[in-house]
């Protein structure tokens, strides 16, 4: 799938088409895509803004559907005679042009360029008035010409005379007839005569009843009048065709103006459809920039099927030194929705649409949107989840450049965690090297560590309420989150003994955090895997102060500042900056005892010169004028 389908921009296009009236505007809506030209993008945004302002001030515009005009214009182009209903469609179209021109005239006080489109509308009053004079619905009006009025009056008179003569016969010879009224058979007025009186009434037998007891006879006098009617009907048809050809010729002369009006109304139709979508989504015009920056303030995903007051707004920022965001947090916590919202709102802004986001939102123009979301499994193509992800990522890397926006969901998932982590870090590092804007979601702690240490990459997390064990769906920039799988598993009913075993397997600790404790008896007997791996875990976590280590996969060399905590995280100083890393990412290079004498003062390595001098003076006596500054351990996570 391409980015338009993955981000569901196609659903935005479909809604835009539903808000359009004309076939052409619907076609434009369904083919809408981000503009690559900055000038055109800004022009389309201004068009949407103008339509929204006019809608807010004057309400919906009187736009026609233009289906009837299109059918009539097609007939004119193939030199066909237009039928009355087609001429009526032209008249209705021109009446709509008149109303639209008046609507746009009233909008001139707003100063929007869109109101100038009214100048391009030609009302063609002569054509409209002539059609309205001659046509009523699907037939020509009697007053279309004096000859037509005269013919139709004669026809009415003859029809009345036939009825009068038949009624006279019915009254004078009541006993002859099976019914007391004349009926129409095969286009003729006939009388229902009883079988025994069929020879008493002169005329032609038109038919008989099902039982044969009644004959339907057209009297000779009625037949003579019918022949006169037939002649008049031929004369009427000729006059009607003459008038229709005259009106068709008049319309054909005005065809260029009709087409010009059609094009103007189609342009207005599409612009107002964008304005209606903006109003429907309570959206605002976004700021656009050619710089590589995205800033979303209080953004809302436009396709979330829930009341606006229940949606948690999204705050997101890329740019100004940050080119990549790594989003972490629990499953069902909203990571994928946040990722899609970033892509969809960016795409909408670049396509000339308003976005449901607050003031201050800013969107960069991107040359391409490259996404990998969903598991992508395929039985036909023999693709596993991991294979599908890698296939997609390879295609993304083939195209990604500085002006791309890359969105990757569950990066590195679907395979061995250690290898998946390595692949994820390698991919992110390549995107960072190419200087494109990117955002990715992950559960790997090593990827969080990479984001914390890599220049231009930043962590973010989906907030999670530990007390209620519920996701808050709020994106928090600058800090890594936790997957919270064990907390969610507890809320969903996983037994306490299994939780304790899972926690020991994951973190090597016998003591569960208070939030995970469920009162069940602790599980003391470990499986073979635990017994087999525990010594290795303990050996890896035995790093001590001053050890020289290598941080994988970027192979940076650092010194242990603080040994592993209960989660297996070791504080390492690399190039003067202290960061927490998972012990799994560390490889011992040289033990501290081989580098430093037994009584070595490690504050020389880890403390500032000012702190060391202050401590030295304090050791000699009380010095209230001196202070020692301690680092905030929370900075190690950033």
């Amino acid at each position: 799938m391409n980015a338009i389908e993955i981000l569901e921009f196609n659903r935005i296009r479909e809604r835009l088409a539903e808000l359009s009236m004309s076939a052409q505007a619907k076609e434009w809506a369904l083919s809408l895509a981000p503009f690559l030209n900055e000038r055109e993008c800004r022009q389309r945004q201004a068009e949407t803004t103008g339509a929204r302002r006019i809608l807010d001030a004057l309400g919906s515009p009187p736009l026609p559907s233009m289906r009837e005009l299109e059918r009539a214009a097609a007939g004119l182009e193939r030199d066909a005679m237009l039928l009355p209903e087609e001429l009526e469609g032209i008249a209705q179209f021109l009446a709509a042009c008149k109303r639209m021109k008046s609507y746009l005239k009233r909008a001139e006080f707003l100063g929007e360029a869109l109101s100038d489109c009214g100048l391009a509308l030609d009302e063609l009053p002569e054509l409209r008035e002539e059609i309205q004079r001659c046509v009523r619905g699907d037939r020509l009006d009697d007053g279309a010409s004096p000859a037509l009025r005269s013919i139709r009056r004669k026809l009415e008179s003859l029809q009345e005379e036939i009825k009068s003569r038949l009624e006279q016969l019915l009254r004078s010879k009541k006993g002859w007839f099976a019914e007391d009224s004349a009926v129409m058979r095969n286009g003729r007025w006939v009388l229902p005569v009883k079988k025994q009186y069929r020879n008493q009434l002169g005329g032609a037998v038109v038919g008989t009843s099902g039982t044969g007891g009644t004959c339907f006879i057209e009297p000779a006098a009625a037949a003579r009048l019918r022949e006169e009617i037939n002649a008049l009907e031929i004369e009427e048809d000729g006059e009607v065709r003459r008038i229709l050809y005259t009106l068709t010729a008049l319309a054909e002369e005005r065809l260029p103006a009709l087409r010009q009006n059609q094009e103007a109304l189609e342009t207005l139709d599409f612009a107002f459809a964008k304005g209606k979508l903006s109003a429907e989504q309570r959206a605002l015009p976004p700021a656009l920039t050619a710089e590589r920056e995205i800033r979303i303030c209080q953004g809302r995903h436009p396709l979330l099927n829930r009341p606006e007051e229940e949606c948690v707004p999204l705050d997101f920022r890329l740019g100004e030194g940050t080119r990549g965001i790594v989003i972490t947090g629990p499953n069902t916590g909203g990571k994928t929705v946040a990722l899609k919202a970033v892509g969809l709102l960016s795409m909408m802004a670049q396509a000339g649409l308003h976005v449901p986001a607050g003031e201050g939102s800013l969107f960069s123009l991107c040359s391409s949107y490259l996404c990998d979301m969903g598991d992508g499994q395929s039985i036909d193509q023999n693709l596993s989840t991991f294979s599908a992800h890698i296939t997609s990522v390879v295609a993304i890397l083939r195209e990604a450049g500085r002006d791309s926006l890359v969105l990757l969901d569950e990066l590195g998932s679907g395979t061995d965690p250690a290898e998946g982590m390595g692949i994820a870090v390698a991919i992110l590092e390549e995107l960072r090297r190419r200087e494109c804007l990117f955002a990715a979601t992950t559960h790997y702690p090593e990827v969080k560590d990479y984001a914390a240490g890599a220049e231009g990459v930043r962590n973010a997390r989906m907030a999670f309420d530990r007390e209620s064990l519920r996701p808050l769906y709020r994106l928090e920039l600058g800090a890594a989150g936790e997957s919270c799988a064990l907390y969610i598993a507890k809320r969903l009913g996983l037994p306490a003994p299994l939780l304790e075993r899972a926690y020991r397997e994951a973190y090597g600790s016998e003591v569960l955090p208070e939030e995970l404790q469920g009162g069940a008896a602790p599980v003391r007997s470990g499986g073979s895997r635990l017994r087999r791996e525990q010594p290795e875990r303990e050996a890896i976590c035995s790093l001590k102060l001053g050890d020289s280590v290598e941080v994988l996969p970027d192979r940076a060399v650092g010194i242990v500042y603080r040994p592993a905590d209960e989660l297996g995280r070791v504080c390492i100083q690399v190039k003067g900056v202290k960061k927490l890393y998972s012990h799994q990412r560390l490889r011992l290079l040289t033990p501290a005892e081989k580098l430093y004498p037994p009584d070595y003062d490690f504050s020389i390595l880890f403390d500032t010169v000012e702190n060391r001098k202050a401590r030295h003076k304090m050791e000699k006596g009380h010095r209230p004028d001196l202070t020692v500054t301690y680092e905030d351990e929370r900075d190690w996570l950033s």
Side-chain angles (χ1 to χ4, degrees):
M1 291 193 296
N2 59 30
I4 284 178
E5 294 173 326
I6 292 173
L7 299 175
E8 298 184 276
F9 184 70
N10 55 318
R11 291 179 58 187
I12 299 295
R13 298 195 298 194
E14 288 166 4
R15 181 55 187 152
L16 191 61
E18 291 173 0
L19 294 171
S20 304
M21 297 290 292
S22 63
Q24 182 60 65
K26 291 180 184 293
E27 183 178 330
W28 287 336
L30 293 174
S31 61
L32 183 65
F35 297 103
L36 299 180
N37 181 283
E38 181 182 356
R39 179 179 179 182
E40 186 172 12
C41 184
R42 294 185 183 279
Q43 181 181 341
R44 298 308 178 192
Q45 274 290 349
E47 185 179 83
T48 305
T49 300
R52 173 69 187 277
R53 289 193 66 205
I54 294 173
L55 283 169
D56 289 345
L58 302 179
S60 294
L63 285 162
S65 69
M66 288 178 273
R67 286 190 298 269
E68 293 301 324
L69 173 71
E70 186 58 45
R71 191 172 72 172
L76 291 174
E77 288 170 349
R78 63 174 186 270
D79 295 326
M81 182 191 75
L82 297 185
L83 299 175
E85 57 267 27
E86 293 170 329
L87 290 164
E88 181 76 7
I90 292 176
Q92 291 174 355
F93 171 76
L94 291 175
C97 290
K98 181 180 180 181
R99 292 192 299 270
M100 195 67 202
K101 195 177 184 72
S102 174
Y103 175 90
L104 295 174
K105 182 70 175 176
R106 289 187 290 122
E108 287 180 354
F109 77 96
L110 295 171
E112 293 294 339
L114 202 63
S115 61
D116 294 339
C117 289
L119 301 175
L121 295 175
D122 190 340
E123 298 179 37
L124 300 177
E126 304 87 353
L127 176 60
R128 173 174 54 82
E129 291 169 4
E130 183 64 11
I131 293 175
Q132 290 175 338
R133 184 186 71 80
C134 295
V135 179
R136 290 289 183 274
D138 59 351
R139 69 189 300 268
L140 289 185
D141 186 77
D142 293 352
S145 74
L148 185 61
R149 176 182 286 109
S150 175
I151 292 169
R152 286 182 174 172
R153 284 181 176 176
K154 291 178 182 178
L155 283 170
E156 290 175 5
S157 176
L158 289 173
Q159 293 284 3
E160 290 300 323
E161 186 174 350
I162 287 178
K163 290 180 182 179
S164 175
R165 293 195 179 188
L166 294 180
E167 288 173 0
Q168 185 178 357
L169 282 171
L170 285 168
R171 287 195 300 270
S172 62
K173 305 292 183 181
K174 287 184 179 181
W176 292 3
F177 304 107
E179 299 177 19
D180 58 357
S181 63
V183 295
M184 182 72 74
R185 281 292 182 95
N186 299 329
R188 304 179 182 184
W189 284 106
V190 296
L191 295 175
V193 181
K194 295 176 183 178
K195 183 178 180 180
Q196 59 271 32
Y197 297 108
R198 60 179 296 180
N199 295 324
Q200 302 296 321
L201 183 67
V205 176
V206 176
T208 58
S209 64
T211 61
T214 302
C215 298
F216 297 99
I217 299 176
E218 180 186 31
R224 287 191 298 272
L225 293 173
R226 178 176 55 79
E227 290 175 358
E228 292 183 38
I229 288 174
N230 289 343
L232 284 173
E233 286 177 343
I234 293 172
E235 190 176 345
E236 178 193 27
D237 182 67
E239 181 62 13
V240 165
R241 294 176 68 84
R242 185 192 67 78
I243 296 170
L244 290 178
Y245 272 120
T246 301
L247 293 174
T248 298
L250 186 61
E252 189 172 7
E253 291 176 6
R254 308 294 190 272
L255 183 57
L258 288 171
R259 284 299 194 190
Q260 179 179 314
N261 285 356
Q262 180 183 3
E263 292 172 4
L265 287 180
E266 287 168 347
T267 300
L268 289 166
D269 184 13
F270 185 56
F272 281 111
K274 294 190 295 179
K276 291 172 187 175
L277 184 67
S278 170
E280 182 176 276
Q281 296 178 347
R282 297 168 61 85
L284 294 176
L288 300 171
T289 178
E291 303 298 324
R292 304 305 295 145
E293 182 177 3
I294 295 175
R295 185 169 64 243
I296 299 175
C297 305
Q298 299 289 289
R300 306 184 309 278
H301 195 295
L303 300 177
L304 283 181
N305 188 21
R306 62 182 63 182
E308 182 180 327
E309 59 273 11
E310 295 181 10
C311 296
V312 179
L314 172 70
D315 290 305
F316 181 88
R317 187 160 190 167
L318 274 176
E320 295 185 348
T322 301
R323 304 194 72 83
I325 294 286
V326 173
I327 304 174
T328 50
N331 288 323
T332 72
K335 298 190 301 296
T336 303
V337 172
L339 203 63
K340 283 190 172 183
V342 171
L344 181 56
L345 296 186
S346 298
M347 193 173 281
M348 289 174 65
Q350 195 170 339
L353 301 177
H354 288 177
V355 297
E359 295 284 353
S361 296
L362 176 70
F363 294 90
S364 175
L365 301 182
C366 300
S367 62
S368 58
Y369 291 81
L370 307 172
C371 307
D372 175 45
M373 297 182 190
D375 60 28
Q377 293 187 65
S378 172
I379 295 176
D380 293 337
Q381 299 181 26
N382 194 28
L383 288 178
S384 66
T385 298
F386 177 72
S387 299
H389 276 302
I390 291 301
T391 300
S392 178
V393 168
V394 168
I396 287 172
L397 292 177
R398 196 178 296 125
E399 187 176 347
R402 185 181 184 279
D403 295 326
S404 301
L405 174 62
V406 180
L407 303 172
L408 304 172
D409 194 25
E410 300 294 352
L411 183 60
S413 63
T415 188
D416 175 84
E419 295 182 357
M421 174 275 297
I423 290 173
V425 170
I427 292 169
L428 293 179
E429 179 62 21
E430 177 62 17
L431 294 176
R432 187 178 76 90
R433 186 188 68 79
R434 297 191 188 189
E435 298 186 339
C436 56
L437 296 181
F438 64 90
T441 69
T442 185
H443 286 290
Y444 293 126
E446 293 82 3
V447 179
K448 306 174 195 177
D449 294 341
Y450 164 79
E455 183 181 356
V457 185
R458 191 180 186 191
N459 271 310
R461 68 185 177 193
M462 301 306 300
F464 186 80
D465 188 343
R466 285 287 188 82
E467 293 185 4
S468 64
L469 297 178
R470 292 182 180 277
L472 300 178
Y473 306 108
R474 183 178 66 250
L475 182 67
E476 297 177 345
L477 298 174
E482 299 178 359
S483 296
C484 300
L486 295 177
Y487 298 94
I488 294 173
K490 178 179 183 295
R491 177 164 60 86
L492 296 177
L494 189 68
L498 299 184
L499 284 172
E500 184 172 349
R501 174 63 183 273
Y503 189 81
R504 289 209 327 272
E505 289 281 356
Y507 300 109
S509 173
E510 295 284 343
V511 182
L512 268 69
E514 184 178 349
E515 299 95 326
L516 287 177
Q517 293 177 6
V523 180
R524 296 301 179 191
S525 59
S528 59
R529 178 179 172 220
L530 178 60
R531 289 196 299 271
R532 183 170 62 251
E533 295 185 357
Q534 189 68 22
E536 182 183 356
R537 184 190 303 275
E538 291 173 354
I540 294 174
C541 293
S542 64
L543 294 172
K544 58 188 179 299
L545 178 69
D547 285 349
S548 175
V549 297
E550 183 180 52
V551 181
L552 301 175
D554 43 3
R555 308 183 71 84
V557 176
I559 299 175
V560 175
Y561 173 69
R562 179 172 293 180
D565 60 15
E566 67 277 6
L567 298 181
R569 299 177 301 182
V570 183
C571 185
I572 307 296
Q573 178 170 290
V574 179
K575 295 181 180 179
V577 178
K578 299 179 181 68
K579 298 291 182 185
L580 284 176
Y581 295 96
S582 169
H583 67 275
Q584 295 174 334
R585 290 186 59 188
L586 304 176
R587 184 169 69 88
L588 178 64
L589 295 178
T590 308
E593 56 268 22
K594 292 185 179 182
L595 295 173
Y596 313 103
D599 57 348
Y600 184 75
D601 182 8
F602 282 100
S603 67
I604 297 174
L605 296 176
F606 301 120
D607 215 345
T608 64
V609 174
E610 292 78 8
N611 277 351
R612 290 203 309 274
K613 288 181 178 179
R615 285 196 182 94
H616 181 69
K617 292 178 180 179
M618 288 177 181
E619 289 173 356
K620 296 180 179 180
H622 180 60
R623 293 293 301 271
D625 58 316
L626 297 177
T627 59
V628 175
T629 304
Y630 291 91
E631 292 187 59
D632 189 343
E633 295 186 7
R634 290 176 296 182
D635 293 339
W636 301 350
L637 297 169
S638 62

